[in-house]
Short mmCIF file of all heavy atoms in Angstrom, two decimals:
data_model
loop_
_atom_site.label_atom_id
_atom_site.label_comp_id
_atom_site.label_asym_id
_atom_site.label_seq_id
_atom_site.Cartn_x
_atom_site.Cartn_y
_atom_site.Cartn_z
N GLN C 181 145.20 20.59 53.20
CA GLN C 181 146.12 20.33 52.09
C GLN C 181 146.48 21.63 51.40
O GLN C 181 145.60 22.42 51.04
CB GLN C 181 145.51 19.36 51.07
CG GLN C 181 146.50 18.95 49.98
CD GLN C 181 145.92 18.00 48.96
OE1 GLN C 181 144.75 18.07 48.63
NE2 GLN C 181 146.77 17.09 48.45
N LYS C 182 147.77 21.84 51.21
CA LYS C 182 148.27 22.99 50.47
C LYS C 182 148.70 22.53 49.09
O LYS C 182 149.03 21.35 48.90
CB LYS C 182 149.40 23.65 51.25
CG LYS C 182 148.91 24.22 52.57
CD LYS C 182 150.00 24.92 53.34
CE LYS C 182 149.41 25.49 54.62
NZ LYS C 182 150.44 26.19 55.44
N PRO C 183 148.72 23.44 48.11
CA PRO C 183 149.03 23.05 46.73
C PRO C 183 150.35 22.30 46.61
O PRO C 183 151.38 22.73 47.13
CB PRO C 183 149.08 24.40 46.00
CG PRO C 183 148.17 25.28 46.79
CD PRO C 183 148.37 24.87 48.21
N GLY C 184 150.30 21.16 45.93
CA GLY C 184 151.50 20.37 45.69
C GLY C 184 151.99 19.58 46.88
O GLY C 184 153.06 18.95 46.80
N LYS C 185 151.23 19.58 47.97
CA LYS C 185 151.64 18.90 49.19
C LYS C 185 150.65 17.81 49.58
O LYS C 185 149.50 17.81 49.14
CB LYS C 185 151.76 19.89 50.35
CG LYS C 185 152.78 21.00 50.11
CD LYS C 185 154.19 20.46 50.02
CE LYS C 185 155.21 21.58 49.92
NZ LYS C 185 156.59 21.04 49.78
N ALA C 186 151.12 16.90 50.43
CA ALA C 186 150.24 15.87 50.95
C ALA C 186 149.31 16.46 51.99
O ALA C 186 149.63 17.47 52.63
CB ALA C 186 151.07 14.75 51.57
N PRO C 187 148.15 15.85 52.17
CA PRO C 187 147.26 16.28 53.26
C PRO C 187 147.93 16.13 54.62
O PRO C 187 148.80 15.28 54.81
CB PRO C 187 146.07 15.34 53.13
CG PRO C 187 146.09 14.89 51.71
CD PRO C 187 147.54 14.79 51.36
N LYS C 188 147.47 16.96 55.56
CA LYS C 188 147.99 16.94 56.93
C LYS C 188 146.80 16.75 57.86
O LYS C 188 145.81 17.47 57.76
CB LYS C 188 148.70 18.25 57.24
CG LYS C 188 149.10 18.43 58.69
CD LYS C 188 149.62 19.84 58.92
CE LYS C 188 149.88 20.09 60.39
NZ LYS C 188 150.29 21.49 60.66
N LEU C 189 146.92 15.80 58.78
CA LEU C 189 145.85 15.55 59.74
C LEU C 189 145.76 16.70 60.75
O LEU C 189 146.75 17.08 61.36
CB LEU C 189 146.12 14.24 60.48
CG LEU C 189 145.14 13.89 61.61
CD1 LEU C 189 143.74 13.61 61.05
CD2 LEU C 189 145.65 12.68 62.39
N LEU C 190 144.53 17.21 60.92
CA LEU C 190 144.28 18.26 61.91
C LEU C 190 143.53 17.73 63.11
O LEU C 190 143.88 18.01 64.25
CB LEU C 190 143.45 19.38 61.28
CG LEU C 190 144.03 20.13 60.09
CD1 LEU C 190 142.99 21.12 59.57
CD2 LEU C 190 145.32 20.84 60.47
N ILE C 191 142.45 17.01 62.84
CA ILE C 191 141.51 16.59 63.88
C ILE C 191 141.04 15.18 63.58
O ILE C 191 140.79 14.82 62.42
CB ILE C 191 140.31 17.56 63.93
CG1 ILE C 191 140.73 18.89 64.54
CG2 ILE C 191 139.13 16.96 64.69
CD1 ILE C 191 139.71 19.99 64.42
N SER C 192 140.92 14.35 64.61
CA SER C 192 140.34 13.02 64.49
C SER C 192 139.21 12.86 65.49
O SER C 192 139.05 13.69 66.40
CB SER C 192 141.40 11.95 64.71
OG SER C 192 141.93 12.04 66.03
N GLN C 193 138.42 11.80 65.31
CA GLN C 193 137.27 11.55 66.18
C GLN C 193 136.45 12.81 66.39
O GLN C 193 136.00 13.10 67.50
CB GLN C 193 137.71 10.94 67.51
CG GLN C 193 138.05 9.47 67.38
CD GLN C 193 138.35 8.81 68.72
OE1 GLN C 193 139.50 8.49 69.00
NE2 GLN C 193 137.34 8.58 69.50
N ALA C 194 136.26 13.54 65.33
CA ALA C 194 135.39 14.72 65.24
C ALA C 194 135.92 15.96 65.96
O ALA C 194 135.72 17.08 65.48
CB ALA C 194 133.98 14.40 65.72
N SER C 195 136.59 15.76 67.10
CA SER C 195 136.95 16.94 67.88
C SER C 195 138.32 16.84 68.56
O SER C 195 138.68 17.74 69.32
CB SER C 195 135.89 17.20 68.95
OG SER C 195 135.78 16.09 69.82
N SER C 196 139.07 15.79 68.30
CA SER C 196 140.36 15.59 68.95
C SER C 196 141.47 16.22 68.13
O SER C 196 141.79 15.75 67.03
CB SER C 196 140.61 14.10 69.15
OG SER C 196 141.85 13.88 69.79
N LEU C 197 142.07 17.27 68.67
CA LEU C 197 143.10 18.01 67.95
C LEU C 197 144.39 17.21 67.91
O LEU C 197 144.86 16.71 68.94
CB LEU C 197 143.33 19.35 68.65
CG LEU C 197 144.12 20.41 67.89
CD1 LEU C 197 143.34 20.90 66.68
CD2 LEU C 197 144.45 21.57 68.83
N GLU C 198 144.97 17.09 66.73
CA GLU C 198 146.22 16.36 66.57
C GLU C 198 147.34 17.13 67.28
O GLU C 198 147.36 18.37 67.29
CB GLU C 198 146.55 16.20 65.09
CG GLU C 198 147.81 15.44 64.75
CD GLU C 198 147.71 13.94 65.00
OE1 GLU C 198 146.66 13.49 65.49
OE2 GLU C 198 148.69 13.23 64.67
N SER C 199 148.27 16.40 67.86
CA SER C 199 149.41 17.01 68.52
C SER C 199 150.18 17.92 67.57
O SER C 199 150.45 17.56 66.42
CB SER C 199 150.35 15.91 69.03
OG SER C 199 151.52 16.47 69.60
N GLY C 200 150.48 19.12 68.04
CA GLY C 200 151.24 20.06 67.23
C GLY C 200 150.39 20.98 66.37
O GLY C 200 150.92 21.92 65.78
N VAL C 201 149.10 20.73 66.31
CA VAL C 201 148.20 21.57 65.53
C VAL C 201 147.69 22.72 66.42
O VAL C 201 147.29 22.49 67.57
CB VAL C 201 147.01 20.76 64.98
CG1 VAL C 201 146.00 21.66 64.28
CG2 VAL C 201 147.53 19.68 64.01
N THR C 202 147.70 23.92 65.88
CA THR C 202 147.30 25.08 66.65
C THR C 202 145.86 24.95 67.16
O THR C 202 144.97 24.44 66.45
CB THR C 202 147.44 26.37 65.83
OG1 THR C 202 146.90 27.47 66.57
CG2 THR C 202 146.76 26.27 64.49
N SER C 203 145.63 25.48 68.34
CA SER C 203 144.30 25.42 68.96
C SER C 203 143.31 26.37 68.30
O SER C 203 142.15 26.43 68.70
CB SER C 203 144.41 25.72 70.45
OG SER C 203 144.98 27.00 70.65
N ARG C 204 143.76 27.10 67.29
CA ARG C 204 142.79 27.91 66.53
C ARG C 204 141.85 27.01 65.73
O ARG C 204 140.79 27.46 65.30
CB ARG C 204 143.52 28.87 65.59
CG ARG C 204 144.31 29.96 66.33
CD ARG C 204 144.94 30.98 65.38
NE ARG C 204 145.95 30.39 64.52
CZ ARG C 204 145.74 30.00 63.26
NH1 ARG C 204 144.54 30.14 62.73
NH2 ARG C 204 146.73 29.49 62.56
N PHE C 205 142.26 25.76 65.53
CA PHE C 205 141.39 24.79 64.85
C PHE C 205 140.59 24.02 65.90
O PHE C 205 141.13 23.59 66.92
CB PHE C 205 142.22 23.79 64.04
CG PHE C 205 142.87 24.37 62.82
CD1 PHE C 205 144.17 24.85 62.87
CD2 PHE C 205 142.17 24.45 61.62
CE1 PHE C 205 144.77 25.38 61.74
CE2 PHE C 205 142.76 24.98 60.49
CZ PHE C 205 144.07 25.45 60.55
N SER C 206 139.33 23.83 65.63
CA SER C 206 138.51 22.99 66.49
C SER C 206 137.46 22.27 65.65
O SER C 206 137.05 22.76 64.60
CB SER C 206 137.84 23.81 67.60
OG SER C 206 136.95 24.76 67.06
N GLY C 207 137.05 21.10 66.12
CA GLY C 207 136.05 20.31 65.44
C GLY C 207 134.89 19.99 66.36
O GLY C 207 135.07 19.91 67.58
N SER C 208 133.73 19.82 65.76
CA SER C 208 132.55 19.50 66.55
C SER C 208 131.60 18.64 65.73
O SER C 208 131.76 18.51 64.51
CB SER C 208 131.84 20.79 66.99
OG SER C 208 131.39 21.51 65.86
N GLY C 209 130.63 18.07 66.43
CA GLY C 209 129.58 17.31 65.76
C GLY C 209 129.61 15.83 66.07
O GLY C 209 130.58 15.31 66.64
N SER C 210 128.54 15.16 65.69
CA SER C 210 128.44 13.71 65.81
C SER C 210 127.25 13.25 64.99
O SER C 210 126.38 14.08 64.63
CB SER C 210 128.28 13.28 67.26
OG SER C 210 127.04 13.71 67.77
N GLY C 211 127.22 11.98 64.69
CA GLY C 211 126.11 11.45 63.88
C GLY C 211 126.30 11.76 62.41
O GLY C 211 127.09 11.10 61.74
N THR C 212 125.61 12.77 61.93
CA THR C 212 125.71 13.12 60.51
C THR C 212 126.17 14.54 60.24
O THR C 212 126.45 14.89 59.10
CB THR C 212 124.36 12.91 59.80
OG1 THR C 212 123.38 13.78 60.39
CG2 THR C 212 123.88 11.46 59.90
N GLU C 213 126.23 15.38 61.26
CA GLU C 213 126.56 16.79 61.06
C GLU C 213 127.84 17.15 61.82
O GLU C 213 127.92 16.94 63.04
CB GLU C 213 125.42 17.68 61.54
CG GLU C 213 124.09 17.43 60.84
CD GLU C 213 124.04 17.98 59.44
OE1 GLU C 213 124.86 18.87 59.12
OE2 GLU C 213 123.18 17.52 58.66
N PHE C 214 128.80 17.72 61.09
CA PHE C 214 130.10 18.05 61.67
C PHE C 214 130.55 19.42 61.18
O PHE C 214 130.08 19.91 60.14
CB PHE C 214 131.13 16.99 61.25
CG PHE C 214 130.78 15.60 61.69
CD1 PHE C 214 129.97 14.80 60.90
CD2 PHE C 214 131.24 15.11 62.90
CE1 PHE C 214 129.61 13.52 61.30
CE2 PHE C 214 130.89 13.83 63.32
CZ PHE C 214 130.08 13.05 62.51
N ALA C 215 131.47 20.02 61.93
CA ALA C 215 131.99 21.33 61.56
C ALA C 215 133.45 21.44 61.96
O ALA C 215 133.88 20.90 62.98
CB ALA C 215 131.19 22.44 62.22
N LEU C 216 134.18 22.15 61.12
CA LEU C 216 135.56 22.55 61.43
C LEU C 216 135.54 24.07 61.56
O LEU C 216 135.08 24.77 60.64
CB LEU C 216 136.51 22.14 60.31
CG LEU C 216 137.96 22.66 60.44
CD1 LEU C 216 138.68 21.95 61.59
CD2 LEU C 216 138.73 22.45 59.13
N THR C 217 136.01 24.57 62.67
CA THR C 217 136.08 26.01 62.92
C THR C 217 137.54 26.44 62.98
O THR C 217 138.35 25.78 63.64
CB THR C 217 135.38 26.38 64.23
OG1 THR C 217 134.00 25.98 64.15
CG2 THR C 217 135.46 27.88 64.48
N ILE C 218 137.85 27.52 62.28
CA ILE C 218 139.17 28.12 62.35
C ILE C 218 138.99 29.52 62.94
O ILE C 218 138.29 30.35 62.35
CB ILE C 218 139.85 28.23 60.98
CG1 ILE C 218 139.77 26.91 60.20
CG2 ILE C 218 141.32 28.65 61.15
CD1 ILE C 218 140.28 27.00 58.77
N ASN C 219 139.55 29.75 64.09
CA ASN C 219 139.47 31.05 64.74
C ASN C 219 140.65 31.91 64.34
O ASN C 219 141.77 31.41 64.17
CB ASN C 219 139.43 30.90 66.26
CG ASN C 219 138.11 30.35 66.75
OD1 ASN C 219 137.05 30.92 66.47
ND2 ASN C 219 138.14 29.24 67.46
N SER C 220 140.39 33.20 64.18
CA SER C 220 141.44 34.16 63.87
C SER C 220 142.33 33.68 62.72
O SER C 220 143.52 33.39 62.91
CB SER C 220 142.29 34.44 65.12
OG SER C 220 143.19 35.49 64.88
N LEU C 221 141.75 33.58 61.56
CA LEU C 221 142.41 33.06 60.36
C LEU C 221 143.77 33.73 60.14
O LEU C 221 143.89 34.96 60.19
CB LEU C 221 141.51 33.27 59.16
CG LEU C 221 141.74 32.44 57.92
CD1 LEU C 221 141.46 30.96 58.18
CD2 LEU C 221 140.86 32.96 56.78
N GLN C 222 144.79 32.90 59.91
CA GLN C 222 146.14 33.38 59.68
C GLN C 222 146.60 33.05 58.25
O GLN C 222 146.01 32.18 57.60
CB GLN C 222 147.10 32.74 60.68
CG GLN C 222 146.80 33.10 62.13
CD GLN C 222 146.90 34.59 62.37
OE1 GLN C 222 147.96 35.20 62.14
NE2 GLN C 222 145.80 35.19 62.82
N PRO C 223 147.62 33.73 57.75
CA PRO C 223 148.06 33.49 56.36
C PRO C 223 148.36 32.02 56.07
O PRO C 223 148.10 31.54 54.96
CB PRO C 223 149.34 34.34 56.26
CG PRO C 223 149.11 35.46 57.23
CD PRO C 223 148.36 34.85 58.37
N ASP C 224 148.88 31.29 57.06
CA ASP C 224 149.22 29.89 56.85
C ASP C 224 147.99 28.99 56.72
O ASP C 224 148.11 27.82 56.34
CB ASP C 224 150.09 29.40 58.01
CG ASP C 224 150.71 28.03 57.74
OD1 ASP C 224 151.32 27.86 56.66
OD2 ASP C 224 150.57 27.13 58.59
N ASP C 225 146.82 29.51 57.04
CA ASP C 225 145.59 28.70 57.03
C ASP C 225 144.92 28.65 55.66
O ASP C 225 143.98 27.87 55.47
CB ASP C 225 144.58 29.26 58.04
CG ASP C 225 145.12 29.26 59.46
OD1 ASP C 225 146.03 28.47 59.76
OD2 ASP C 225 144.62 30.08 60.27
#
Side-chain angles (χ1 to χ4, degrees):
Chain C
Q181 187 180 33
K182 296 182 178 180
K185 300 295 186 182
K188 172 188 173 184
L189 176 66
L190 299 176
I191 287 170
S192 62
Q193 283 186 252
S195 60
S196 180
L197 194 67
E198 181 73 357
S199 176
V201 175
T202 174
S203 58
R204 293 185 295 98
F205 290 94
S206 63
S208 62
S210 66
T212 61
E213 301 285 340
F214 300 87
L216 173 71
T217 301
I218 312 173
N219 288 304
S220 187
L221 200 65
Q222 297 299 301
D224 191 51
D225 301 336

